[in-house]
Every structure is written in structure tokens, then in C-alpha cells.
Amino acid sequence: MDKLSNMSVYIKVVEMGSFTAVANHLDSTVGNVSRAVSALENVLDARLLQRSTRRLSVTDAGRRFYERCTKILADLESAEAEASNAALEPRGTLRVHCVPGLARHLVTGAVLGYRQQFPEVTVDLLLSQRMPNLLEDQLDVSILIARALPDSAYVSQKIGVSHCVLVASPDYLARHAAPETPEDLRDHQCLLLGTVDYVRDEWQLKSKAGDAIFVPTGPSFSVNDMDAMAHAIREGAGIGLLAGFTAIDDLRSGRLVRVLPDYHTYERNVYAVYTSRQFVDAKITRFIETLKDRVGSQLAATAKELID
């Protein structure tokens, strides 16, 4: 940084033609200005200025160095302004990870809305069940569903909450009497969902009347993807758990029907996770605001319709 400071002083000397004028301009001393130029000459092993008691003249080497210095400092100022603007104006590439079901039903729409608002940002959306390593995978934000996040150096913000509900197709329920209690589920084909945030072989159910734990036995079908589960249920394969945001449209249209409608799973939090609280790019802060506004409000509306 001393070299950059000395370069800045040298540029002023060339432009103003006087150590005294530069010292006055910088509120410094003639000695300090002279030492800055001398330090550069010592490093370069070249004479930049010819000094006399009456005037300064720039050598050929000094003129070439001046031109390079002005370009270097201009590029530095531009880089600083660009980095500073990154905290103010969303731009560049935003790399986002999201669990698949949430991405398909809610987050992709939020991304498109974000892009309309901030067209100078390019969004790369990666879908995966597993929480990635943000630094190693060069990701800006990860969107996860979990009861609680593991301890880490990452920073998280809660976007909303999600619940799963038990559903079946009208065709399946026409062939099998709908269960009236959790224990009645033993007489049904129970389809198992196995993802990072849901225990595959245990349904932890909650209702105003009390909690229940049901352990399905001998399942005919299990899958680790929410949309594949929804397809199997619509085809009449049995009863299964679906997140509210996955099931809501089919429930409204009648393609699916709630089973044990007083019961639902414990809530899972939807989190946006990123690497640091300090110097967060505007593209990240604005994206999280978009998630809270769009995804958070949709989750709340779904919970109000299905749970409240």
C-alpha cells in the first residue's frame, strides 16, 4: 500500500510540477513528498524527475512510469467502486442450491421474479437433497428444509415453515375405507418418503387432540423425491406424506384427498444459508428478501389453509 500511496503522490508531482504545491494540496510536507518520489526511484533504480532549485522536469522513464501509474490507480479506483457497488446494486452471478421439491414448486418462481427485478444478475440454480459445502462448491446461498440446522460457521435466515400432510387419491379411497385413527393406517398401503429432512420409517404426527407416532410396516413403495411420491399417490398406490406446498394444488383440484385431516407432521423450517454476515453482496441480500416475500408468504398461506 506504501507503493500505491507513493505512486499517487508522484502523479500529483508530475501534474502540479512542484513539491511545494503537492505538499500544500495533500496537507503534508515537502520532505514527505520528496521521500515518496525518492522511494519509487530507489525501487525502480531509475531517475523519474530531474530536480533543480527552480523547476522539476520529468525524465523519459518518469513519463512512461507516470502513464502506467495513472492507469493502475484508475483501474484500482474502478475495482473499488465496483466492489462497493456490489453491496448496493445486485449484479453478477448468483449461485443457489435448493432441495428439489421446494425448488420446483416455490423457489424457481421466486428466482424468475428476482431476475425480472434485477436483470443484471444471472442465477445458477442447483437442485440437490444434500446440504452442500458453500465454499468448496462456490455457492452463494443454500435453501434447506430442516427441524434445526447443524452447528456451522454459516449464517442462516428463516424464510418460513413447512408441514407434511397425509394424502391419497380418490380412487384409492374408493377401494379402501379411509382411516379414522392413526392406528387404522396399519390396514393400508403406506408409501414412504425418505429425504434428508424426513425420517423414512417413522411418521411423527401432530394434532390438537395429541401426537401420534406411526411406524409403517412392509411398504410397497418408497422414494426419496417429493414429486415422485406425489405421482405415485395420484396413481392410487396408497397413502403418503406430502409437503403442503407439493400437495396444495392437487388438494384444491380434488386429484388428492386429505387422510386423517386433523393430523400433520411437526413443522420444518425453511432456511436460507450463506457464508458470512459481513460484506454481503447486494445480490444475496436482495435474493433473501425476495425469498421471504414470495416463498415465505406462500408457505404461510398454505399452512393457513391446511393446518390452522
Side-chain angles (χ1 to χ4, degrees):
M1 294 305 296
D2 287 344
K3 185 180 292 186
L4 291 174
S5 177
N6 292 343
M7 288 165 63
S8 179
V9 171
Y10 173 69
I11 288 172
K12 293 293 185 196
V13 170
V14 173
E15 292 175 346
M16 303 182 76
S18 165
F19 284 4
T20 301
V22 173
N24 292 335
H25 176 75
L26 297 178
D27 194 22
S28 184
T29 66
V30 172
N32 286 339
V33 173
S34 178
R35 279 189 289 273
V37 175
S38 295
L40 290 174
E41 290 178 325
N42 291 334
V43 170
L44 299 170
D45 195 22
R47 176 70 66 182
L48 300 176
L49 300 173
Q50 295 291 356
R51 304 162 175 82
S52 71
T53 56
R54 309 193 69 176
R55 63 188 296 270
L56 295 174
S57 61
V58 184
T59 65
D60 288 342
R63 177 62 59 184
R64 292 193 299 271
F65 187 64
Y66 165 80
E67 291 171 355
R68 290 296 184 93
C69 286
T70 54
K71 185 178 186 304
I72 290 170
L73 292 181
D75 288 345
L76 178 61
E77 289 179 3
S78 177
E80 289 175 341
E82 183 177 334
S84 178
N85 285 337
L88 302 174
E89 282 297 321
R91 64 183 63 201
T93 299
L94 179 70
R95 287 178 50 80
V96 180
H97 158 266
C98 187
V99 291
L102 189 65
R104 295 182 186 118
H105 291 277
L106 298 181
V107 171
T108 299
V111 167
L112 297 178
Y114 172 81
R115 281 276 299 117
Q116 286 183 336
Q117 188 175 4
F118 304 109
E120 293 190 29
V121 180
T122 299
V123 179
D124 290 346
L125 181 59
L126 170 69
L127 307 189
S128 172
Q129 293 283 8
R130 298 288 176 181
M131 181 175 177
N133 184 308
L134 297 183
L135 295 176
E136 289 183 3
D137 296 328
Q138 297 182 316
L139 292 163
D140 296 299
V141 181
S142 177
I143 306 168
L144 303 167
I145 303 176
R147 291 284 293 273
L149 290 175
D151 291 337
S152 74
Y154 296 149
V155 180
S156 66
Q157 291 197 42
K158 184 177 172 181
I159 303 302
V161 297
S162 173
H163 306 78
C164 275
V165 293
L166 289 164
V167 295
S169 70
D171 175 67
Y172 176 85
L173 294 177
R175 292 182 282 112
H176 304 82
E180 297 182 0
T181 68
E183 290 75 18
D184 293 341
L185 290 169
R186 302 185 187 280
D187 300 325
H188 288 267
Q189 292 290 333
C190 294
L191 313 181
L192 297 189
L193 177 68
T195 64
V196 173
D197 46 300
Y198 289 98
V199 178
R200 178 182 176 276
D201 55 358
E202 182 177 272
W203 291 355
Q204 299 177 355
L205 305 174
K206 182 179 180 181
S207 76
K208 293 180 180 178
D211 299 348
I213 295 177
F214 174 70
V215 179
T217 57
S220 59
F221 179 79
S222 63
V223 68
N224 68 343
D225 179 79
M226 191 77 72
D227 286 340
M229 173 63 76
H231 180 76
I233 297 172
R234 285 194 297 266
E235 291 296 312
I239 297 172
L241 286 171
L242 285 182
F245 57 79
T246 300
I248 189 67
D249 288 339
D250 284 335
L251 289 171
R252 289 168 178 164
S253 68
R255 294 180 70 188
L256 294 178
V257 177
R258 286 283 297 273
V259 173
L260 298 175
D262 292 335
Y263 287 88
H264 55 82
T265 63
Y266 287 86
E267 68 180 30
R268 263 73 172 174
N269 296 317
V270 177
Y271 294 103
V273 182
Y274 50 104
T275 56
S276 175
R277 294 185 188 276
Q278 291 185 309
F279 311 121
V280 182
D281 276 10
K283 65 185 178 184
I284 296 175
T285 57
R286 298 296 186 273
F287 181 63
I288 293 174
E289 289 171 3
T290 299
L291 291 176
K292 288 181 177 180
D293 181 53
R294 295 182 62 121
V295 176
S297 62
Q298 289 173 293
L299 289 170
T302 298
K304 183 175 180 61
E305 185 171 342
L306 296 180
I307 308 300
D308 294 348

